[in-house]
Amino acid sequence: MRISFEWLQELVKIDIPIVELAERLTMAGIAVEEIENQAAVYEGMVTGRVLSLEKHPQADNLWVSQVDAGSYGKKQVITAARNLTIGDIIPLALPGTTLPNGKTITEADFKGIASQGMMCSGMELGLEKESTGIWVFAGSVEPGKPVADVLGENDRILVLELTANRSDCLGMMGVAREVAAILDLEFHGSPCDLQEKGQDIHGIAQVKIQDPDLCPRYAARVIRGVKIGPSPEWMQCRLKAAGVRPINNIVDITNYVMLEYNQPLHAFDLDRIAEQRIIVRRAKSNEKLVTLDEVERNFTAENLLIADPSGGLCVAGVMGGCTSEVNDQTVNIFLEAAYFNPLSIRRTAKLLNMKTEASIRFERGIDPNGVVQALNRAAYLMEKFAAGEVAKGYIDEYPQLIAPVTVSTTIDKINGWLGTKLTQPEIIKLLKRLTFEVAENQGAIAVKIPTYRRDIVHMADLAEEVARLHGYDQIPATIPASRQIGERSLFQKMQQEYRRLLRGIGLSEIMTYSLYPKNAATRLGLTEADRDSRTVDLMVPLSEEQAVMRTNLVTGILETLAFNAKRRQTDLAVYEIARVYWPETGEVLPEEPLHLGIGLMGRVQDIGWNQNQLEVDFYDVKGILELIFAKLRLPGYTLQPSTKPFLHPGQAADIYMNQRVIGFLGQIHPKTVQEFELGKKAFIMELDLAALEAIRAMETIKFEPLPKFPAVQRDLALVAPMGITAQSIMERIKEISGELVERVELFDVYQGDQVPQGMRSLAFSISYRSKEKTLNDNEVNQIQEQLLQKIRSEYGATIRE
């Protein structure tokens, strides 16, 4: 928001320098981003009167002019302009001046004749895009005056960086009230001595609100007999200071009052409104309207239109339409001031991709009870500067009054929140400076909040207002008493354990985006039958690269490995703990389980003369899985061959607990390696920590006393068909031998010439132990023989000789 200091001083008699005002505003929460001096770009430019014009003796296209620069003396200036006459008052840039376009003026020699400055065109002053000659000032202007003063460009601008909750400061009145409160000064409103004449408005025009939920209030006036022309220079200067381009007196007045009262207005050509009847309604499906920017817009039933019986006239709160636009032939004005539902305007502006000064204000919320005041101010200005006649009365459709909010609190609570010791009279005085109405009752106060302060709804908001006006720098520094409430849940503690363990074995944590492109599943080779291919799609994605929510951590980890590999960093061990998002049929929100993903690539050890060059393999990632389960005392798991398309067949496994899949691990498929441009083998593992935690929570940790009796070791070497997994044989050994088998480990796998084709050798180490006695060799041999018979009959396995 750009605030004219000259305009602000008209509303509040400010008695401190502008720099100090900026500091006070910033300390009170209204941040001043910069102070802009309009006159700075015209520094070194003065007015000059042309005294003579003579042909240059050495150049037919140049003139030698003598210019009276007032107190700066007479200057000789060479010019090629053809539009000058003796007596013209022109802008003269003296030597040393830097023009708005960055050019610096110096004394120059034009074929033997010196030029002591430069006459400026409108383009060189920054007033025109193109110029055909030197700018000539109209009226009586003394030579030697600063050009900035003559142009009215001598204001200073406060550029405010407003937070979304302070929509009241989008208008000069709001800022003036704020300044008056901060400096404890009196606030002066703008004059509005309106003179109504002629017929009553209700006999001229009608208004009907069909959708009061989208338009709670709509007010209007009629001004007849206006004369379209330029607005006063002072108004144009203020509009330009605010960054608004002047157009004509009617449009400029609506923009001026919008900047003044933070109330957008719209002027219709009354004679172009069918039956002079306004209907505020929702748009029809696929209804069309050409807006003032000459673009045809399509609407839905969610959008609000200002219409007449023949069709739409204006996009409510956003932009007017061409059908009722004010032009040079307009004589009668229908002036609108309304309060629209902020959410409705925000949706419409976003749908149409239109962000206007009006929509910004309506989106953030204006004062519903300031509508008529702004309407009357605009009608007064049209009466004064457009020769209009204001019809008697005004239309005000206001079905349900929006009343001010009353917030109650106590002095002790305010002091408690702020750490101050302010008295009740001091606090009440501060609140009244904000034009709040305060009622006292035995230490408690009830504060009626004006409807233009939509940001104050809670007791804490009142405390903040007191702090702002009292001064944050006046609040004593204290260390608040605090205590930690609650603690991390068991699941959160478990996450900490995962991180601590993985960092300890050399893995680096990464964080990847939770949004993927739509082709993420295709890159992994997933089909519609795979759960991970069904995604949660964003309705309005920021880009194609962030269009769906991730369903696994694989894509992010592989992209991280690829990013590093392209930069010659190929020895990588990373992990990520993050949520994935699975759409659930019939559910409003997706399921969001927490997953752990691990990616390995490159050498196991750093380069060194005493280190081998081994690279990571399937058993490295499997070893990490075993370490996690062992160190965190998790229940046992089993592995089954995985058919995931992005994993290498034969080196991929799904991880099961209690017959439920909780993850997978394996080598990345060569096609996927090529797709992600990894350049070498990579291995990955992903665990569903939420499912793992649910299973772990059902398990009971049991204490086992130290064994009293020794264990007996036996080795068992079997030749079994290739289709039989070692895992299934190990589980069967435990089932057959019962509690006497303490541990079964696979210690050798062989496949070669000494084993029949289609078979392989599996060697197991079995540890037997009884809790009741010491087992002798005969007992162990008997158990081993029974075990061999059942393994032989069930699996077709034989003892390897």
Side-chain angles (χ1 to χ4, degrees):
M1 181 66 184
R2 296 170 59 85
I3 300 298
S4 162
F5 189 59
E6 176 267 331
W7 191 355
L8 185 61
Q9 285 182 306
E10 187 178 282
L11 301 172
V12 183
K13 300 302 179 184
I14 301 170
D15 55 0
I16 60 174
I18 189 171
V19 174
E20 185 179 343
L21 174 64
E23 291 175 356
R24 297 283 294 272
L25 281 169
T26 301
M27 288 301 296
I30 309 296
V32 178
E33 191 172 350
E34 66 174 308
I35 301 172
E36 186 180 299
N37 186 359
Q38 284 186 315
V41 294
Y42 302 109
E43 188 175 351
M45 296 186 197
V46 298
T47 57
R49 177 181 287 116
V50 178
L51 300 177
S52 66
L53 285 168
E54 296 178 0
K55 280 279 189 180
H56 193 292
Q58 301 297 325
D60 293 338
N61 63 328
L62 298 178
W63 294 84
V64 181
S65 175
Q66 299 298 322
V67 179
D68 177 10
S71 61
Y72 295 91
K74 290 182 181 180
K75 302 294 181 182
Q76 180 174 273
V77 181
I78 308 299
T79 180
R82 303 284 181 174
N83 67 317
L84 295 176
T85 60
I86 295 174
D88 285 346
I89 301 295
I90 51 88
L92 176 64
L94 299 171
T97 300
T98 300
L99 299 179
N101 61 11
K103 180 181 178 181
T104 300
I105 305 302
T106 60
E107 286 196 24
D109 184 281
F110 288 87
K111 296 185 178 182
I113 299 179
S115 181
Q116 300 172 302
M118 187 182 86
M119 301 180 188
C120 299
S121 66
M123 184 174 66
E124 288 159 339
L125 293 173
L127 303 175
E128 297 175 334
K129 290 185 178 180
E130 293 183 2
S131 298
T132 57
I134 299 301
W135 183 275
V136 178
F137 291 108
S140 177
V141 179
E142 291 293 324
K145 295 287 185 183
V147 167
D149 292 349
V150 179
L151 291 175
E153 298 284 340
N154 54 358
D155 200 356
R156 287 169 292 174
I157 311 300
L158 292 163
V159 182
L160 306 185
E161 188 177 351
L162 297 174
T163 52
N165 65 316
R166 290 307 305 269
S167 59
D168 59 302
C169 288
L170 287 170
M172 288 296 304
M173 292 289 193
V175 176
R177 275 192 295 259
E178 187 73 14
V179 170
I182 293 169
L183 303 181
D184 196 11
L185 299 173
E186 188 177 350
F187 164 69
H188 305 281
S190 299
C192 188
D193 187 16
L194 189 62
Q195 302 295 320
E196 298 177 335
K197 297 179 183 177
Q199 188 178 355
D200 188 275
I201 189 174
H202 294 88
I204 303 172
Q206 297 177 352
V207 173
K208 182 179 181 181
I209 301 176
Q210 290 186 356
D211 295 285
D213 57 322
L214 301 186
C215 177
R217 189 176 192 182
Y218 191 98
R221 275 193 178 273
V222 168
I223 301 95
R224 295 190 290 187
V226 299
K227 294 180 180 179
I228 306 297
S231 57
E233 268 199 42
W234 61 266
M235 183 178 290
Q236 292 188 39
C237 288
R238 288 182 177 180
L239 289 174
K240 286 187 285 187
V244 178
R245 180 174 61 90
I247 298 174
N248 60 49
N249 50 0
I250 299 300
V251 176
D252 289 355
I253 286 170
T254 59
N255 285 333
Y256 181 82
V257 174
M258 176 187 71
L259 295 172
E260 188 175 35
Y261 282 83
N262 190 32
Q263 169 65 59
L265 302 105
H266 188 70
F268 297 87
D269 188 326
L270 178 64
D271 299 320
R272 299 172 72 181
I273 299 174
E275 302 177 21
Q276 284 71 56
R277 186 153 59 92
I278 289 291
I279 304 166
V280 186
R281 61 170 174 81
R282 278 181 164 87
K284 300 170 186 175
S285 181
N286 207 32
E287 186 172 357
K288 294 178 173 57
L289 173 67
V290 179
T291 48
L292 291 175
D293 55 0
E294 299 181 351
V295 177
E296 185 177 69
R297 311 281 182 177
N298 293 333
F299 301 96
T300 68
E302 287 188 357
N303 308 132
L304 187 69
L305 293 184
I306 309 301
D308 63 13
S310 66
L313 299 175
C314 170
V315 186
V318 181
M319 185 179 285
C322 289
T323 55
S324 58
E325 179 184 7
V326 172
N327 55 39
D328 293 342
Q329 285 72 47
T330 298
V331 177
N332 300 315
I333 297 292
F334 180 88
L335 184 60
E336 163 199 288
Y339 173 74
F340 299 114
N341 183 300
L343 183 59
S344 170
I345 302 302
R346 188 178 301 117
R347 286 174 176 168
T348 300
K350 188 172 183 179
L351 174 70
L352 302 179
N353 194 23
M354 299 171 69
K355 201 169 189 69
T356 63
E357 289 291 334
S359 70
I360 290 170
R361 287 165 170 79
F362 281 124
E363 283 178 24
R364 295 192 179 187
I366 62 169
D367 181 9
N369 295 316
V371 169
V372 172
Q373 188 179 5
L375 178 70
N376 290 340
R377 170 69 170 162
Y380 163 75
L381 293 174
M382 289 183 186
E383 178 185 61
K384 187 172 182 180
F385 299 111
E389 184 179 279
V390 181
K392 291 181 179 178
Y394 59 88
I395 295 171
D396 187 12
E397 293 295 315
Y398 197 4
Q400 187 170 355
L401 178 69
I402 300 175
V405 173
T406 298
V407 179
S408 298
T409 185
T410 65
I411 304 303
D412 290 341
K413 282 185 178 179
I414 290 177
N415 280 321
W417 278 322
L418 301 181
T420 55
K421 296 180 180 180
L422 297 172
T423 64
Q424 182 164 322
E426 287 174 327
I427 290 176
I428 291 173
K429 182 182 178 182
L430 292 173
L431 293 173
K432 285 185 175 180
R433 276 162 54 178
L434 291 162
T435 67
F436 295 174
E437 295 182 22
V438 183
E440 307 173 46
N441 184 17
Q442 296 180 352
I445 56 173
V447 185
K448 184 182 286 187
I449 311 299
T451 47
Y452 57 77
R453 287 300 303 272
R454 301 168 57 86
D455 58 311
I456 300 177
V457 294
H458 190 269
M459 292 182 287
D461 299 324
L462 285 180
E464 182 184 5
E465 294 302 298
V466 171
R468 288 194 318 111
L469 295 191
H470 178 61
Y472 291 119
D473 55 338
Q474 300 298 316
I475 298 176
T478 56
I479 300 176
S482 63
R483 60 186 181 90
Q484 184 173 345
I485 300 175
E487 60 178 350
R488 288 186 176 91
S489 65
L490 290 176
F491 189 37
Q492 290 171 331
K493 291 178 179 178
M494 184 65 72
Q495 292 174 46
Q496 282 188 312
E497 290 296 321
Y498 285 120
R499 287 188 168 91
R500 189 178 295 113
L501 176 62
L502 295 172
R503 285 198 303 267
I505 60 174
L507 272 67
S508 301
E509 184 170 11
I510 62 173
M511 297 179 68
T512 63
Y513 289 115
S514 59
L515 298 173
Y516 285 173
K518 283 191 174 182
N519 68 343
T522 306
R523 294 184 71 192
L524 293 176
L526 298 171
T527 64
E528 292 184 0
D530 296 302
R531 179 177 185 177
D532 286 1
S533 69
R534 298 190 291 274
T535 58
V536 179
D537 295 0
L538 270 64
M539 294 178 64
V540 186
L542 295 176
S543 69
E544 292 183 359
E545 296 300 312
Q546 298 181 330
V548 300
M549 305 294 287
R550 65 182 170 200
T551 54
N552 57 58
L553 302 182
V554 176
T555 299
I557 291 175
L558 292 183
E559 286 181 343
T560 300
L561 295 180
F563 178 87
N564 284 273
K566 290 173 183 176
R567 289 154 181 82
R568 301 183 180 181
Q569 300 296 320
T570 56
D571 301 331
L572 301 165
V574 299
Y575 76 94
E576 179 175 19
I577 297 177
R579 296 193 179 278
V580 298
Y581 304 87
W582 293 333
E584 289 295 310
T585 305
E587 297 291 334
V588 176
L589 297 175
E591 186 181 350
E592 302 179 24
L594 191 72
H595 278 205
L596 163 65
I598 292 174
L600 304 178
M601 186 170 73
R603 284 187 289 263
V604 176
Q605 303 282 354
D606 291 336
I607 297 176
W609 66 271
N610 61 343
Q611 300 292 343
N612 58 45
Q613 301 297 310
L614 292 177
E615 296 203 344
V616 293
D617 58 20
F618 177 85
Y619 294 101
D620 287 302
V621 71
K622 181 174 179 288
I624 294 175
L625 174 67
E626 293 172 350
L627 182 66
I628 289 173
F629 273 73
K631 292 293 185 181
L632 300 183
R633 296 187 297 179
L634 297 170
Y637 66 89
T638 58
L639 299 178
Q640 298 291 338
S642 177
T643 58
K644 295 191 183 303
F646 53 85
L647 294 179
H648 193 298
Q651 291 206 41
D654 289 331
I655 305 167
Y656 284 79
M657 284 182 66
N658 293 356
Q659 299 182 343
R660 175 180 176 180
V661 178
I662 62 160
F664 57 85
L665 59 84
Q667 181 182 337
I668 297 299
H669 196 287
K671 289 183 178 179
T672 308
V673 170
Q674 186 176 2
E675 170 67 29
F676 283 85
E677 301 179 11
L678 296 176
K680 59 167 56 182
K681 293 180 182 180
F683 297 84
I684 201 160
M685 177 172 70
E686 186 166 334
L687 287 174
D688 184 343
L689 297 186
L692 188 59
E693 173 64 15
I695 295 171
R696 189 196 66 79
M698 294 186 295
E699 297 287 335
T700 302
I701 298 176
K702 297 179 180 178
F703 170 74
E704 288 285 346
L706 293 174
K708 296 180 180 179
F709 306 100
V712 179
Q713 301 294 134
R714 288 287 188 275
D715 291 341
L716 179 63
L718 300 173
V719 177
M722 291 290 295
I724 304 298
T725 64
Q727 182 71 38
S728 62
I729 294 177
M730 292 168 65
E731 290 178 355
R732 188 60 180 137
I733 290 173
K734 292 178 181 179
E735 290 175 4
I736 294 170
S737 303
E739 294 184 354
L740 292 178
V741 173
E742 187 177 60
R743 187 175 68 254
V744 180
E745 292 179 348
L746 176 70
F747 68 86
D748 184 57
V749 178
Y750 174 75
Q751 183 179 351
D753 295 337
Q754 299 178 22
V755 177
Q757 189 174 0
M759 309 289 280
R760 63 175 175 171
S761 171
L762 302 173
F764 301 95
S765 174
I766 306 173
S767 178
Y768 295 97
R769 190 195 303 269
S770 171
K771 297 180 180 179
E772 299 174 353
K773 64 177 183 176
T774 300
L775 295 173
N776 57 43
D777 287 344
N778 292 333
E779 291 173 325
V780 174
N781 291 338
Q782 187 178 358
I783 297 170
Q784 189 91 338
E785 184 60 33
Q786 294 174 353
L787 180 64
L788 287 172
Q789 291 177 4
K790 291 187 179 182
I791 293 293
R792 191 180 294 118
S793 62
E794 293 178 11
Y795 294 102
T798 60
I799 297 293
R800 183 181 176 186
E801 300 297 338

